[in-house]
Amino acid sequence: MNTRAWIVFLDESGVSLLPQIRRTYAPRGRTPLLRHRLNWKRASMAGALGYHSTDPERGARLCFHLKPGSYDTTALIEVLEQMKAFYRGEQVVLVWDGLSAHWSRAMRAWAAEQDWLTLERLPAYAPELNPVELLWSSLKKRELANLAGDHLADVADATEQGIHRVNTNPQLPWSFLAHTGLTIHPPHPPNLRKDQ
């Protein structure tokens, strides 16, 4: 693995017009009601949180992609092509789960031709190791909570507001990583600590 690369965690999730029901406050005696159309229209989102392996001062980077329907290998290759432009000229170690589209023959063939990209697989049944899962949780607890949109564009707008919130808070992406228990860069040796 390249020790001077960006370590990027990628994950997909889905959103729909059915609201993400969450607890909320209301005046006593006025129970809030969510009125929505029983509509199963869905969109899929892909998020990629990147951390530099040797230079945390470069900050965390968040890439986001939203599309109607679901992801397949072809759509994920398009996402990775956009990510290549986002990380222009940088080496990337991409860490993702065992979804069949991630490890299909077409994906492996495409990845083998990419000199900027190395693929790594998360252990099976270990979503708690992917900081992007915490991004989805954050969006669904805030911007998407109790949202009863009429169109997928309403859900997309709320999701993009959440992504903007995360991008403008430099500590939040690092807190997602810290919550996983993983570390990207080795701690400074005792004789080279910055605080000395």
Side-chain angles (χ1 to χ4, degrees):
M1 177 166 52
N2 187 334
T3 58
R4 299 188 61 79
W6 285 88
I7 310 300
V8 179
F9 295 87
L10 190 139
D11 191 47
E12 304 85 14
S13 186
V15 290
S16 74
L17 290 179
L18 296 177
Q20 300 280 328
I21 299 172
R22 297 289 184 259
R23 287 185 175 201
T24 187
Y25 294 95
R28 184 175 295 217
R30 294 212 233 139
T31 302
L33 297 175
L34 285 177
R35 299 187 191 283
H36 65 88
R37 300 175 187 188
L38 189 57
N39 191 321
W40 293 96
K41 284 186 182 175
R42 294 185 54 80
S44 295
M45 48 190 182
L49 264 174
Y51 307 89
H52 197 272
S53 60
T54 59
D55 188 3
E57 300 298 319
R58 294 180 74 179
R61 291 186 182 176
L62 173 60
C63 303
F64 178 73
H65 187 266
L66 183 72
K67 72 179 280 314
S70 59
Y71 286 103
D72 58 10
T73 299
T74 303
L76 284 171
I77 288 173
E78 290 174 15
V79 170
L80 294 179
E81 288 285 0
Q82 290 178 10
M83 198 167 76
K84 179 180 180 179
F86 185 78
Y87 283 99
R88 330 176 229 323
E90 302 271 7
Q91 292 295 304
V92 170
V93 176
L94 184 68
V95 183
W96 55 6
D97 58 28
L99 184 72
S100 60
H102 294 173
W103 300 100
S104 68
R105 183 173 290 140
M107 178 63 76
R108 286 180 290 154
W110 179 85
E113 297 173 358
Q114 308 303 311
D115 61 353
W116 63 279
L117 181 67
T118 302
L119 298 180
E120 294 291 339
R121 186 175 181 159
L122 283 168
Y125 309 110
E128 69 278 3
L129 295 178
N130 193 333
V132 182
E133 294 284 355
L134 296 156
L135 168 67
W136 301 146
S137 178
S138 179
L139 295 178
K140 291 177 180 181
K141 287 179 181 173
R142 283 201 57 183
E143 286 78 13
L144 298 175
N146 302 319
L147 176 66
D150 289 325
H151 307 283
L152 274 177
D154 300 330
V155 176
D157 290 346
T159 303
E160 288 175 5
Q161 288 171 5
I163 294 296
H164 179 72
R165 172 179 57 85
V166 172
N167 265 332
T168 57
N169 181 340
Q171 286 81 30
L172 205 48
W174 288 103
S175 72
F176 296 158
L177 179 66
H179 190 77
T180 66
L182 301 173
T183 57
I184 297 298
H185 53 87
H188 295 285
N191 60 346
L192 296 176
R193 284 194 182 139
K194 289 183 176 182
D195 56 5
Q196 288 184 347

